[in-house]
């Protein structure tokens, strides 16, 4: 079966990109990365793409006075590489509704909280400050409102006493790296679809077991 063609958009170190590169490097994985786009010329993820011999492009938002022109360039680049699914992986620019709607149900994002809680920045600090017992991460389809859209997958991570934003970020990140390749696989294998603003799954085990923290 033909592999799902991915475009990965980054702004930073690209550890999530790396998890996708690693997954795609096995022949049985049902997706391949056609292009990596960074809006920052110095993003660490660009070296990861180069090392994996994946075409990469810097499309620097600072070179565009108009957000629509910047996004037109992103769109053209994704189209040039015949991308079928856009994966935002630490891409730190808000995208206009026009762009988002052009990729509706064909663009996913990873966010380091259990959405819809803690949208935006400083998710770890805010969760620790509130004293919630779980943090986590979410993969969701992108909608024009920030960190919104049908939720595909989540991982919950217990927040320990004395947890710091740094320690929580490190814990959550290891789950992000499992979640992104798994979410892309689900889509590539046709196991999910968006219906009525939610993601529904065919033939997928959701498990029965709840998580309790602290453990009793
Ligand atoms: C991750 O925490 C992701 O959830 C958030 O940005 C960070 C990107 O990290 N959207 P990396 O660039 O993939 O290492």
């Amino acid at each position: 079966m033909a592999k799902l063609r991915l475009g990965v958009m980054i702004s930073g170190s690209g550890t999530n990109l790396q998890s996708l590169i690693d997954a795609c490097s096995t022949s049985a994985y049902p997706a391949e990365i056609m292009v990596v786009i960074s809006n920052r010329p110095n993003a660490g993820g660009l070296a990861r793409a180069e090392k994996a011999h994946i075409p990469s492009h810097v499309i620097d938002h600072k070179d565009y006075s108009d957000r629509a022109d910047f996004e037109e360039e992103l769109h053209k680049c994704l189209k040039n590489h015949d991308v079928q699914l856009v994966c935002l992986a630490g891409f730190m620019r808000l995208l206009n509704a026009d762009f988002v709607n052009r990729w509706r149900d064909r663009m996913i994002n990873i966010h380091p909280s259990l959405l819809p809680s803690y949208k935006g920045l400083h998710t770890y600090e805010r969760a620790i400050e509130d004293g919630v017992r779980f943090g986590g991460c979410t993969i969701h389809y992108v909608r024009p409102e920030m960190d919104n859209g049908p939720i595909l997958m989540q991982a919950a991570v217990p927040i320990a006493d004395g947890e710091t934003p740094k320690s929580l970020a490190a814990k959550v990140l290891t789950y992000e790296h499992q979640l992104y390749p798994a979410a892309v696989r689900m889509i590539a294998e046709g196991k999910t679809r968006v219906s009525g603003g939610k993601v529904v799954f065919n033939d997928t085990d959701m498990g029965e077991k709840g998580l309790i923290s602290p453990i009793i």
Side-chain angles (χ1 to χ4, degrees):
M1 210 171 91
K3 294 194 180 214
L4 184 68
R5 299 166 65 89
L6 310 179
V8 184
M9 298 199 346
I10 61 165
S11 303
S13 67
T15 64
N16 280 289
L17 164 65
Q18 188 66 52
S19 74
L20 289 170
I21 291 175
D22 293 345
C24 290
S25 72
T26 61
S27 60
Y29 192 72
E32 58 187 330
I33 304 174
M34 308 315 297
V35 64
V36 172
I37 302 174
S38 172
N39 68 313
R40 293 205 181 122
N42 58 353
L46 289 166
R48 298 177 189 273
E50 195 182 336
K51 196 165 169 219
H53 308 292
I54 298 166
S56 63
H57 297 270
V58 173
I59 301 178
D60 188 343
H61 58 278
K62 291 196 188 123
D63 294 339
Y64 300 83
S65 52
D66 189 348
R67 192 189 286 258
D69 293 343
F70 165 63
E71 291 177 358
E72 186 56 37
E73 212 49 42
L74 295 176
H75 184 75
K76 269 202 263 172
C77 184
L78 293 165
K79 282 299 196 193
N80 283 343
H81 290 273
D82 210 5
V83 164
Q84 295 173 302
L85 180 72
V86 179
C87 299
L88 303 182
F91 184 72
M92 299 304 281
R93 293 301 290 174
L94 291 177
L95 294 163
N96 271 337
D98 276 353
F99 181 86
V100 172
N101 289 333
R102 281 163 111 174
W103 291 93
R104 190 181 171 91
D105 297 343
R106 295 185 298 143
M107 177 158 61
I108 58 177
N109 180 43
I110 186 152
H111 181 74
S113 78
L114 291 172
L115 289 174
S117 293
Y118 307 114
K119 297 176 179 178
L121 297 174
H122 309 298
T123 57
Y124 316 111
E125 286 85 343
R126 286 151 59 211
I128 291 168
E129 176 64 25
D130 285 345
V132 296
R133 296 270 65 108
F134 288 101
C137 46
T138 302
I139 307 253
H140 64 95
Y141 284 97
V142 178
R143 292 292 182 264
E145 310 77 38
M146 186 186 61
D147 298 329
N148 210 333
I151 291 172
L152 188 62
M153 287 185 93
Q154 295 187 301
V157 177
I159 298 181
D161 268 356
E163 194 81 62
T164 65
K166 201 171 161 207
S167 65
L168 182 57
K171 279 204 254 181
V172 170
L173 202 57
T174 65
Y175 285 89
E176 291 188 31
H177 297 159
Q178 297 177 51
L179 225 50
Y180 225 142
V184 167
R185 177 189 282 280
M186 292 257 185
I187 294 171
E189 289 178 346
K191 292 201 168 147
T192 76
R193 70 197 152 82
V194 181
S195 168
K198 287 184 192 171
V199 174
V200 290
F201 292 85
N202 332 315
D203 225 4
T204 300
D205 185 2
M206 301 312 230
E208 288 288 327
K209 246 178 132 189
L211 291 176
I212 299 177
S213 175
I215 289 169
I216 48 174

